[in-house]
Structure formats: structure tokens, C-alpha cells
Amino acid sequence: QLTIPVRHGQDIIAVFSLEKNDYDSFSTVERARVARLCERAAIALVNARLLQETQQERQKLSTVLTTTEDSVIVIDPDGNIILVNRAAVRIFGLDNKADFTDKPFKTVFANSPLLELYNQGVKTNGYANREFKYNDATFQINMAPVQHVGFSMILHDITLFKELDNLKNDLVATVS
């Protein structure tokens, strides 16, 4: 029997065991081949575990982005869309069945106030902040650079806060 640990660094992540009918019948060449096979198996096992963890984290991120009420848009440095969540699709009346990945931001959002903010943000190293009205709602939008990704745009609906502020102003005016 030939038993070789499959190692990743100092950790043993598996054990590889082979058997032959004859006593001490594994040659030096066979032992070396099995050792190389175990090295490759260790890499494959580590990569499989990393892939599984990445897929789980991607699923978590997708769930968060899908269920959040804030609009999230991520754009690469070339101006192409990486991600648009459901809230952004709904607010801007985009086709909810379309895939906007790798499409130019300036084309998809050509008729929205986001285009002006995007152009401003690109000129100012990716930073922009503005409040704007769109379809009877008021939004606070922040654009910021994201290292190794591009830019992110987060839109927060502040319509309720604006209405409350107007009510407060009306109350103060009435009391005065």
C-alpha cells in the first residue's frame, strides 16, 4: 500500500492511497508520479473550494442587490455597464428581461439625468453627487470610483423626506 498526503501549504487536505497485491511493489518512478499527481490534486481541490466559495459569495451579493430598494449601477472604466439592479431597471423604465452587461452606459441611459452626472463624475476622477427629480420622485445620487472595477452609482429615493421638509416649511409659514 502507498499512502501520500495531499497538502496545501502545511495543511493536509486529503490522503491518496493506492494498493497492489505484491509487497513493496511500488517503484521509485511510480512513487514520484503519484506524488506529482497529489500536488496537482491539491491545486485542483483548493481551486474547487475557492470556486464554490466565490459562487456562494456571488449568490449573496446578487440577493442583496436584487432585494435592495436603492438603485445600483456599476460601470467599468471604458463606460460599459457591469451591473444594473432591479430597482434601477424599474425606476428608469428599462426592459426587465434585457441584459445590460457590457452595453455602453451612455446608450442605455441616454435619456436620463444620469448621463450628465456620469459625464461630470468621469471629469472629476469618478466622484459626483447630486439631487434630481425624475418621474415625480426625488433622488440623491452618489457616484464614486471603485478600485479595479470602475464606477458605482447609488440612487436613493428621498421623495418622502422632501415631502416632509415641504410640510414643515408650510407649517412654519402658516404659523408665522
Side-chain angles (χ1 to χ4, degrees):
Q1 180 175 13
L2 175 64
T3 303
I4 298 178
V6 179
R7 296 181 180 270
H8 177 68
Q10 297 296 330
D11 299 329
I12 296 175
I13 58 175
V15 176
F16 194 73
S17 184
L18 296 172
E19 293 182 12
K20 279 189 173 181
N21 291 334
D22 299 330
Y23 178 77
D24 199 26
S25 62
F26 288 101
S27 70
T28 306
V29 172
E30 288 174 323
R31 289 179 185 163
R33 284 184 182 156
V34 172
R36 283 194 307 273
L37 175 68
C38 287
E39 290 171 7
R40 291 182 180 144
I43 293 169
L45 288 170
V46 168
N47 286 344
R49 186 177 63 213
L50 289 174
L51 177 63
Q52 181 182 17
E53 289 172 4
T54 301
Q55 288 172 335
Q56 288 172 343
E57 291 302 315
R58 187 175 283 163
Q59 182 62 38
K60 287 178 192 176
L61 178 62
S62 176
T63 301
V64 168
L65 289 173
T66 300
T67 59
T68 186
E69 286 299 313
D70 288 341
S71 297
V72 178
I73 303 167
V74 181
I75 308 147
D76 71 16
D78 297 326
N80 296 317
I81 295 173
I82 296 173
L83 178 138
V84 177
N85 74 344
R86 282 187 198 167
V89 168
R90 186 183 71 247
I91 289 168
F92 293 101
L94 302 174
D95 181 4
N96 61 359
K97 294 178 183 168
D99 181 15
F100 298 103
T101 306
D102 293 328
K103 293 192 176 156
F105 176 84
K106 290 182 177 183
T107 302
V108 174
F109 291 96
N111 298 321
S112 78
L114 294 181
L115 188 57
E116 182 183 336
L117 182 91
Y118 172 76
N119 290 330
Q120 175 191 349
V122 170
K123 290 177 186 173
T124 58
N125 296 323
Y127 291 100
N129 187 330
R130 177 174 295 147
E131 190 176 292
F132 70 93
K133 286 189 173 236
Y134 188 76
N135 291 342
D136 298 325
T138 304
F139 297 94
Q140 177 67 42
I141 180 168
N142 293 304
M143 179 174 167
V146 179
Q147 191 174 17
H148 306 296
V149 175
F151 309 101
S152 70
M153 293 179 133
I154 311 294
L155 286 82
H156 184 67
D157 187 349
I158 58 170
T159 306
L160 180 62
F161 299 112
K162 285 297 186 179
E163 289 173 358
L164 288 173
D165 192 40
N166 290 338
L167 286 173
K168 179 191 76 157
N169 291 339
D170 289 347
L171 178 65
V172 169
T174 303
V175 170
S176 297

